[in-house]
Amino acid sequence: MLRKKIRLGDLLLERGLITDEQMQTALQTQKDTGYKLGQQLVELGYVTEDAILRELSEQLQVPWVDPNDYDVDPDVAEKLPENYARRFQALVLEETKDDYLVAMADPSDLIAYDEINRLLPKPVRVAVAREAVLRELINLTYRRSEEIQSIAEEIGQEIDTEDDIDISTLPVGEGGANAPVVRLLQSLFEDAVQVGASDIHIEPEEKALRIRFRRDGILQEQIIRQRSIHSAMVSLLKIMAGLNITERRLPQDGRFQARVQERSIDVRLSTLPLQAGEGIVMRLLDQTEGVTNLDGTGMPAEMLQRFRKLIHMPYGMVLVTGPTGSGKSTTLYGALSELNSSEVKIITAEDPVEYRLSRVNQIQIHEDIGLTFARILRTALRQDPDIVMVGEMRDEETADMGMRAAITGHLVFSTLHTNDAVSSANRLIDMGVKPYMLAAALRAVIAQRLLRRICPYCREAYTPDEHERAWFGSVLKEDLDSLQLYRGRGCASCSQTGYSGRIGVFELLELNAEMVSALGRGDQSGFIAACHAEPSYEPMSQVALRYAREGITTLAEVFRVLGEPDESLEASTPQADEAASASPEPAVGADDTEQVEGNSEEDDDGLAEPEEPSERAQ
């Protein structure tokens, strides 16, 4: 049947799945997009991918399979070279003594079928599968692990000691494409992008080199025994980031743009002098997709509506809080992109500038020359902005300037390292902000975390034990007689982790008159009590547990991110917050450091400090 040429459009018309008018529209649009006809029909919403696969399966008499049901052996899959697998969207699922089972997104492609038959040493048995699933599995199957190890061994044979090679003489551009160190870094970046890693960690040890990728917030590692290649890698990366290759005793920060598999990747590089050598962490930011809008953050619809109302206020301060890597920047960029128009002027002070936004005046912090958040903010207010975004409230001067801007007609966005929304006010007061200034400026605080999603291909239900049931009952206050939870058993699609992708979990605190009054009096315990009495405020622990009940994430993931249940519950009670405020301890974050103060002799910003506490008009 595979030798029979099938015209997909005619087949769908014959089965009544599309109309002739829809067919002509798809063919016309196809000229501009370059998509295959089936993909174009799906993009236009005329037919579902499942319907197309079902018809192809029936017409060609081939099975419709889910590749995640197979334990794909990389050694078998790689018998079909990677470039052909990607070109034809095909993957070898298994090998028998007589043939190979190959999943294809389009089994009606006779050219692809003939080429795959030519490349494989045994006959091919074809199955049809979803293209998105195949693409993801191809990325996971054709990892660069062996290639990385092979190149590392090649370099290790060339380098006797760390100081035997002057890597600064290696060309970084096209002329150096064949240099082993360059090829090793190319393989590292390609592997990281294929699996969707957010960070690459290069950590030297006494007799080995540890390479770790952070995927969905969890590190996955590979050990390279050729310890001698470390110095060459570090020097080349420093050259690419414009850093001083001779300075090995002090930390350095830099960035560079990389083109990896047709994707534009912004790489933020940080070096740290460790005992066994310089450690490097590279954060990878995919610029190809652009800024995520607010609808793509995963914020619940009701909360998103409230947040949108807050960001359209004419003045005041809105804070986004959470630890490093919790998605704060994504939320802020989503808000800025929604507010960005020709009618408003937006100025940002960032460290670093992650996304370039057209029409937005973005400023990069340079502390070594005294260009701090506070100094930029002081000058930016003279530029007549409507909206100001401060990358982080790090010190008293920055916080004070931000408060003054918020009470004098500017809308101010910023981030803060705290565990939840309620503790943000106490954190700012501990930092030195006057309570009445805080009461007059602060409008809302949104706290967030990222939870790993259960892999949709291997999700299974299970009955929770009595301990888990008891915690759900105490937090959600619901009837849990028929409680059923979910987990991922592990499959090829999720690399046997049981998780795939992440979802944001949020809590939004809007300040009401009672909270503002308590803040203005400096009554921290009264403020905490007022927060928990507000009906619209729901702690993150409750939201996360609800996600676990709905099968979006697991209970274990909730505990990993938010702490054990007793800690979460304790943290969500007014008594616990009151006790915490009695002996406050600043949240530890990667950027919680004392900042270089701006020039104290600079002209005054012209913002008058309120003479006495004032309560905000509601």
Side-chain angles (χ1 to χ4, degrees), residues 85-102:
R86 295 188 182 279
R87 176 183 170 188
F88 299 136
Q89 288 298 294
L91 182 67
V92 181
L93 298 182
E94 65 179 11
E95 177 185 12
T96 68
K97 64 178 182 179
D98 299 320
D99 59 18
Y100 292 101
L101 175 62
V102 178

Side-chain angles (χ1 to χ4, degrees), residues 63 83 112 144 155 208 244-245 293 351 380 410 413 434 509 548 567:
N83 60 323
R144 298 297 196 274
I155 300 173
N244 183 356
I245 64 172
N293 58 32
D351 186 20
H410 305 86
F413 295 109
K434 297 177 178 63
L509 178 65
E567 296 175 6

Side-chain angles (χ1 to χ4, degrees), residues 1-12 14 36-37 55-56 59-60 104 106-114:
M1 290 299 295
L2 284 175
R3 302 308 308 168
K4 178 182 177 182
K5 180 68 175 177
I6 291 182
R7 295 173 60 89
L8 180 62
D10 294 340
L11 176 62
L12 297 177
E14 180 186 330
K36 289 186 176 181
L37 179 59
E55 292 301 326
L56 285 175
Q59 188 70 16
L60 295 173
M104 298 178 64
D106 182 11
S108 66
D109 187 342
L110 293 181
I111 295 176
Y113 175 74
D114 289 341

